[in-house]
Amino acid sequence: MLHQLDSTTPPGTYEMMMEIGGELKKAKLIVHENLDIQFTPDHLTLSGINAGAVHTHIPVTIPNIRHNTMLDMDIICRNLSNAVREKGTEGTEATLDSFVNGIKKDMADWVKISIKEAGEVIEPGKNILLHVQIELPKDLQEQRFYEGEIRIFNQLLKYQIVQNTTPRINKIQKANYEKQ
């Protein structure tokens, strides 16, 4: 048996009469909330690593997101390699301490995130265009390439921040756009 409800039907329990097996019977329908969130595009590449720069790139109730952690794309590899080279012969604890200290030293300050539509309620079946603003921390190292994720409900909006003058990054940007 298939019964289709209007896409704007709010969550709840409903009773109705339905024909089942050739007989009219009372049926209970339970409508669950469905968070079907999709991002288009699902990945952002922001060009320009300048301390304190504000990127406004794309125009979801919408959460109020205040900050985010952004990591240099090579932070794990670089610090693990350095820790093994410097402390590998001293044992696991010394190596891990060196690894964690390197990450702490390399980690940039908080990224400020804001969504202009924060607090707005989206009715079932409706769409909304978001205006996301990303303000970079002032302690970035301009020769590095950073990335992060913004969690909005059960979805992640990924972003990269790259220097716009590096030919290597232009190839990465092109590959990301070709995937979409």
Side-chain angles (χ1 to χ4, degrees):
M1 158 132 329
L2 176 66
H3 182 77
Q4 186 170 350
L5 296 174
D6 185 287
S7 66
T8 62
T9 303
T13 303
Y14 300 89
E15 290 187 3
M16 62 186 306
M17 300 300 289
M18 295 180 67
E19 187 176 332
I20 302 174
E23 294 183 39
L24 200 58
K25 295 187 177 188
K26 190 175 183 180
K28 183 189 285 187
L29 299 175
I30 301 172
V31 177
H32 293 277
E33 186 171 18
N34 179 21
L35 287 177
D36 183 19
I37 301 169
Q38 297 175 356
F39 295 116
T40 305
D42 64 356
H43 187 90
L44 304 176
T45 299
L46 307 171
S47 184
I49 300 176
N50 302 316
V54 176
H55 288 280
T56 302
H57 190 71
I58 58 170
V60 173
T61 293
I62 309 296
N64 185 9
I65 300 170
R66 296 189 176 126
H67 62 272
N68 190 264
T69 299
M70 175 178 71
L71 297 176
D72 165 28
M73 294 178 354
D74 297 322
I75 194 169
I76 302 295
C77 181
R78 178 179 54 254
N79 284 292
L80 184 56
S81 298
N82 288 339
V84 169
R85 284 187 186 105
E86 295 170 8
K87 303 288 184 174
T89 58
E90 297 177 30
T92 306
E93 191 172 326
T95 304
L96 288 176
D97 284 346
S98 178
F99 173 60
V100 170
N101 287 331
I103 288 177
K104 182 179 180 204
K105 182 183 73 154
D106 280 357
M107 191 178 287
D109 201 358
W110 293 108
V111 176
K112 294 178 185 173
I113 307 287
S114 64
I115 300 175
K116 182 179 177 182
E117 295 75 18
E120 287 190 30
V121 176
I122 310 300
E123 296 299 325
K126 301 297 179 189
N127 297 315
I128 188 170
L129 182 65
L130 296 183
H131 295 83
V132 178
Q133 180 170 296
I134 300 172
E135 183 177 340
L136 302 183
K138 299 194 183 318
D139 62 348
L140 294 179
Q141 296 188 33
E142 293 185 13
Q143 71 277 14
R144 296 196 176 153
F145 310 115
Y146 294 92
E147 64 185 355
E149 298 174 332
I150 303 168
R151 179 175 299 282
I152 301 177
F153 300 114
N154 63 344
Q155 296 291 315
L156 295 174
L157 176 60
K158 297 179 181 188
Y159 62 89
Q160 289 180 333
I161 302 180
V162 299
Q163 220 23 302
N164 57 358
T165 58
T166 306
R168 176 178 162 232
I169 295 306
N170 291 336
K171 291 178 185 176
I172 292 171
Q173 287 174 317
K174 183 179 179 187
N176 283 336
Y177 288 118
E178 288 172 353
K179 285 181 194 175
Q180 295 179 6

